[in-house]
Amino acid sequence: MNKQQVLDYIQANNIHHIKFAFADIDGILRGKVIHVKKFEEGLDSGYGFCDVVFGWDSADALYDNTSFTGWHTGYPDQPCRIDLSTLRTIPWQDNIPFFIADYSGVDTTDVPCPRTLLKHVAKQCEDMGFHSEFAQEFEWFNFNESPKSLAQKSFTNIEPLSPGMFGYSILRSSQHSAFYYDLINLLEQFNIPIEGIHTETGPGVYEAAIIHDHVLAAADKAALLKNAVKEIASKHGIMASFMAKWNESLPGCSGHIHQSLWSMDKLQNLFFNPEDELNMSDTMKHYLAGQLYCLPHIVPMYAPTVNSYKRLVEGAWAPTTITWGINNRTAAIRILNQSEKYARVETRIPGADANPYLALAAALASGLYGIKHKLPLTTPPTTGNGYADKANGIIPSNLYEAASAMKASSVAKELFGESFTEHFVNTRFWEWRQFAKHVTDWELKRYFEII
């Protein structure tokens, strides 16, 4: 819809309020409900929003190591703009109109906005003559809990929605059919069509794959899915968690990214070449080579939290080595190449905790880097156990190590710009500091009496 069509829709449906939100550096949606009068007044000039949303962490604690905003700037408003093309209604909230916003297209300082960063990368892709088609899939755990019950129990004795390890279970989803089908139907009505949803191995864990779309729309849907699932779950007295690894003994939660490049008319998949031994075009090989080359420089874009690296361990269905393979789920990058329609790259490093805008920007930018520089695919495909193939290096084992590599990287700055890279890396160092100063239950149990 264009501006006039949106205004006509609001008037015709006697709408008084709209809701909008944007993603912060951690991918958390921050937003407001505003009156239609304010909505109309800000369509051209933008809406003032305190820039503290890019100056604090996921717990609203203020960064002390970033320059974009802080006490030194007075935390002013920055104008964000609503993207009218993202209009949808929220079916579980009386169909209030909802829009996604970002910080592009208005006169403002260099705001470290994840969606704006992805828009820049997507524009580079189009300028190179490619249409980017992406989709993200998520695993998450569901619990018979609420924010209040978890706080009262100090996050101990957490009760999953269902017991036992029961992947691809028809029984478990039927036992919670009201919730299960609300997810399918309400997400569809919210313009997040689900290609498939099923239980994964683990107590109360689901996996859902979103139908592919242009990279920006795919990231919008991924960011909205995480929040929507939590809201729908809450309606059923259920708490959903996209934490990468909530329990040491259970599998982690992935956020794999599926991607392909097409001709601008969307008629030809440029990753597929039936004349090649592996059905891989030169474009696909350069794209893959770029992802492998850039990976050590940008790991925090895929694994942004301290907890992310608890998932990236051997034998836990998550990669630990810089590898690729044909339909190999132990490699960091999995190639699916059976047909032109479905030929794609699956980047398997991201967990469900990743910011979709940053993870998709990282995947696309690094692939384009390979195409731009015509990087040769010199690393052979891994067959068998990817955990044992360390010839091309390993993924950092913790956030500090990954952030340090990104801070020192000229490649990261080339991909994302110096300003954004500096801000993002410093937020990751802040995250590590919050963890490092905390005394854990493990330390108490291990050292309190016996040392």
Side-chain angles (χ1 to χ4, degrees):
M1 287 187 179
N2 60 34
K3 176 181 174 181
Q4 191 57 52
Q5 288 173 323
V6 170
L7 294 177
D8 290 345
Y9 168 82
I10 286 174
Q11 183 176 11
N13 289 275
N14 195 29
I15 293 167
H16 297 283
H17 293 85
I18 67 98
K19 189 174 187 178
F20 75 94
F22 55 87
D24 69 10
I25 207 71
D26 288 294
I28 299 166
L29 295 185
R30 308 280 186 170
K32 297 179 180 180
V33 172
I34 59 174
H35 195 276
V36 291
K37 186 176 186 299
K38 184 176 180 66
F39 169 70
E40 293 171 7
E41 291 172 349
L43 283 176
D44 294 321
S45 59
Y47 307 86
F49 216 109
C50 179
D51 69 8
V52 71
V53 292
F54 295 112
W56 62 23
D57 65 12
S58 58
D60 291 5
L62 300 172
Y63 298 131
D64 64 7
N65 62 341
T66 59
S67 59
F68 164 69
T69 191
W71 297 121
H72 61 287
T73 66
Y75 293 109
D77 280 353
Q78 298 286 353
C80 66
R81 171 171 285 173
I82 284 174
D83 185 339
L84 295 180
S85 71
T86 64
L87 171 62
R88 64 232 309 140
T89 59
I90 307 177
W92 58 93
Q93 291 178 3
D94 297 325
N95 283 310
I96 185 172
F98 177 86
F99 298 87
I100 297 174
D102 59 39
Y103 286 79
S104 59
V106 292
D107 292 330
T108 184
T109 56
D110 191 10
V111 181
C113 171
R115 190 173 192 262
T116 301
L117 179 74
L118 178 57
K119 289 171 80 170
H120 289 326
V121 177
K123 177 66 165 53
Q124 294 170 21
C125 183
E126 291 162 9
D127 289 345
M128 292 172 68
F130 304 124
H131 168 81
S132 51
E133 198 73 9
F134 275 58
Q136 196 163 12
E137 60 178 280
F138 290 103
E139 297 167 340
W140 74 91
F141 279 82
N142 301 289
F143 301 92
N144 289 318
E145 301 287 357
S146 68
K148 184 176 181 180
S149 71
L150 285 178
Q152 290 174 336
K153 298 194 297 183
S154 300
F155 287 83
T156 60
N157 300 315
I158 303 174
E159 181 186 344
L161 181 63
S162 56
M165 312 290 276
F166 208 165
Y168 302 104
S169 169
I170 298 299
L171 176 62
R172 285 288 183 257
S173 56
S174 296
Q175 290 169 337
H176 300 280
S177 61
F179 172 50
Y180 192 75
Y181 287 103
D182 256 3
L183 288 173
I184 297 170
N185 296 325
L186 294 178
L187 288 172
E188 178 82 24
Q189 294 171 41
F190 194 47
N191 192 24
I192 306 178
I194 300 301
E195 183 179 74
I197 183 170
H198 60 87
T199 67
E200 257 294 355
T201 184
V205 60
Y206 288 175
E207 176 178 341
I210 306 170
I211 291 178
H212 57 83
D213 205 335
H214 177 264
V215 64
L216 182 62
D220 287 341
K221 290 174 182 177
L224 292 178
L225 178 136
K226 293 173 67 174
N227 190 77
V229 165
K230 294 174 185 178
E231 292 185 359
I232 295 169
S234 180
K235 295 283 189 181
H236 292 266
I238 295 168
M239 193 169 191
S241 174
F242 289 79
M243 187 174 178
K245 184 88 166 180
W246 83 274
N247 186 297
E248 174 191 359
S249 303
L250 296 172
C253 293
S254 70
H256 301 159
I257 301 169
H258 295 259
Q259 59 223 269
S260 56
L261 297 182
W262 291 67
S263 57
M264 291 300 287
D265 59 10
K266 307 180 191 178
L267 296 178
Q268 181 185 4
N269 186 342
L270 301 178
F271 277 1
F272 187 75
N273 178 12
E275 305 301 321
D276 182 77
E277 180 183 8
L278 298 176
N279 289 339
M280 295 172 63
S281 68
D282 288 342
T283 298
M284 187 184 206
K285 291 175 183 177
H286 291 320
Y287 188 96
L288 174 57
Q291 286 209 346
L292 292 168
Y293 176 79
C294 295
L295 178 55
H297 302 268
I298 60 172
V299 171
M301 302 282 277
Y302 296 133
T305 73
V306 171
N307 184 253
S308 301
Y309 299 82
K310 307 294 177 68
R311 168 182 163 267
L312 299 172
V313 295
E314 291 189 10
W317 297 99
T320 60
T321 57
I322 302 174
T323 48
W324 71 279
I326 304 296
N327 202 14
N328 188 336
R329 285 184 169 86
T330 68
I333 302 174
R334 174 181 172 226
I335 301 299
L336 297 103
N337 60 345
Q338 293 86 352
S339 67
E340 179 179 353
K341 185 175 181 179
Y342 296 110
R344 63 192 186 276
V345 169
E346 179 190 19
T347 304
R348 295 176 58 82
I349 302 97
D353 59 338
N355 180 334
Y357 294 107
L358 299 187
L360 270 62
L364 181 56
S366 57
L368 295 177
Y369 182 94
I371 296 173
K372 188 184 306 181
H373 295 278
K374 290 184 165 50
L375 295 184
L377 183 59
T378 56
T379 306
T382 297
T383 57
N385 188 358
Y387 297 116
D389 186 356
K390 298 180 173 64
N392 200 40
I394 61 174
I395 296 171
S397 60
N398 61 63
L399 181 59
Y400 181 82
E401 181 184 340
S404 296
M406 188 170 179
K407 180 180 177 64
S409 171
S410 60
V411 172
K413 296 180 180 68
E414 181 179 345
L415 295 178
F416 311 117
E418 290 194 19
S419 177
F420 180 86
T421 301
E422 179 184 2
H423 181 84
F424 176 69
V425 166
N426 284 337
T427 68
R428 297 311 95 190
F429 282 132
W430 164 273
E431 193 75 9
W432 178 261
R433 280 169 49 202
Q434 306 320 296
F435 167 72
K437 70 184 182 182
H438 188 71
V439 179
T440 66
D441 291 347
W442 183 88
E443 291 169 279
L444 289 172
K445 292 174 182 177
R446 191 169 185 88
Y447 303 129
F448 191 89
E449 177 188 11
I450 205 165
I451 289 295

